[in-house]
């Protein structure tokens, strides 16, 4: 694995602009949803089984996160909290490189074993998070 800084190549997808736009659009959509006082989304898995799904508590975690209640955000859904932290850091980075037109950070030359380790780690994180949600059932 190699982490490099390089200018955006001609024709290369501008991931910083794309994902900053997607997350900003999602935030605007969510803010509009709550401003219009539309009903909170319900979890069909929870409604059918009475148990938390992988993403139960993610909405409440986001609301707590944006109100700077970070411990509550973590308690609602730890993996969602980590995702919101990582997304915030990425968005700051993306905004900075877009405005300053500086080189982009890219991860290159991942070996097969590194890809397998990353995939396994992500699956383990989802599994641990789901066990936490099932044990604590914060959505009740
Ligand atoms: Zn759910």
């Amino acid at each position: 694995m190699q982490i490099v800084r390089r200018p955006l190549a001609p024709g290369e997808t501008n991931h910083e602009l794309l994902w900053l736009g997607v997350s900003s659009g999602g935030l605007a959509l969510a803010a509009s949803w709550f401003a219009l006082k539309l009903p909170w989304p319900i979890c069909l898995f929870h409604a059918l089984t009475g148990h938390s799904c992988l993403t139960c508590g993610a909405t409440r975690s986001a609301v707590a996160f944006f109100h700077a209640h970070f411990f509550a955000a973590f308690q609602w859904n730890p993996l969602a909290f980590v995702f919101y932290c990582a997304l915030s850091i990425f968005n700051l980075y993306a905004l900075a490189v877009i405005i300053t037109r500086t080189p982009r950070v890219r991860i290159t030359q991942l070996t097969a074993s590194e890809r397998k380790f990353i995939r396994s780690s992500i699956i383990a994180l989802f599994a641990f998070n789901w066990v936490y949600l099932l044990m604590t059932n914060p959505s009740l």
Side-chain angles (χ1 to χ4, degrees):
M1 176 172 72
Q2 225 180 0
I3 298 174
V4 297
R5 289 187 71 216
R6 61 174 167 72
L8 200 61
E12 180 183 359
T13 301
N14 189 342
H15 289 285
E16 287 80 4
L17 183 61
L18 174 67
W19 296 114
L20 180 63
V22 168
S23 68
S24 299
L27 178 63
L29 184 68
S32 301
W33 184 281
F34 288 115
L36 294 172
K37 299 193 184 311
L38 294 171
W40 284 56
I42 63 159
C43 176
L44 287 178
F45 184 86
H46 190 268
L48 292 173
T49 67
H51 298 288
S52 298
C53 76
L54 279 172
T55 61
C56 271
T59 304
R60 283 169 281 202
S61 178
V63 170
F65 186 85
F66 285 110
H67 286 95
H69 300 147
F70 299 118
F71 186 67
F74 182 84
Q75 285 180 312
W76 279 117
N77 189 317
L79 195 56
F81 172 76
V82 169
F83 174 77
Y84 302 138
C85 290
L87 185 63
S88 299
I89 292 167
F90 175 81
N91 284 345
L92 289 174
Y93 151 78
L95 190 63
V97 296
I98 290 168
I99 290 172
T100 60
R101 298 175 184 256
T102 52
R104 312 301 172 88
V105 175
R106 295 288 184 265
I107 298 171
T108 61
Q109 300 175 352
L110 278 171
T111 64
S113 62
E114 288 169 335
R115 287 178 194 271
K116 187 176 180 181
F117 174 77
I118 291 169
R119 272 195 301 269
S120 303
S121 299
I122 291 171
I123 291 169
L125 282 174
F126 274 97
F128 287 132
N129 192 61
W130 200 10
V131 168
Y132 166 82
L133 292 173
L134 290 172
M135 288 174 61
T136 60
N137 213 352
S139 58
L140 290 179

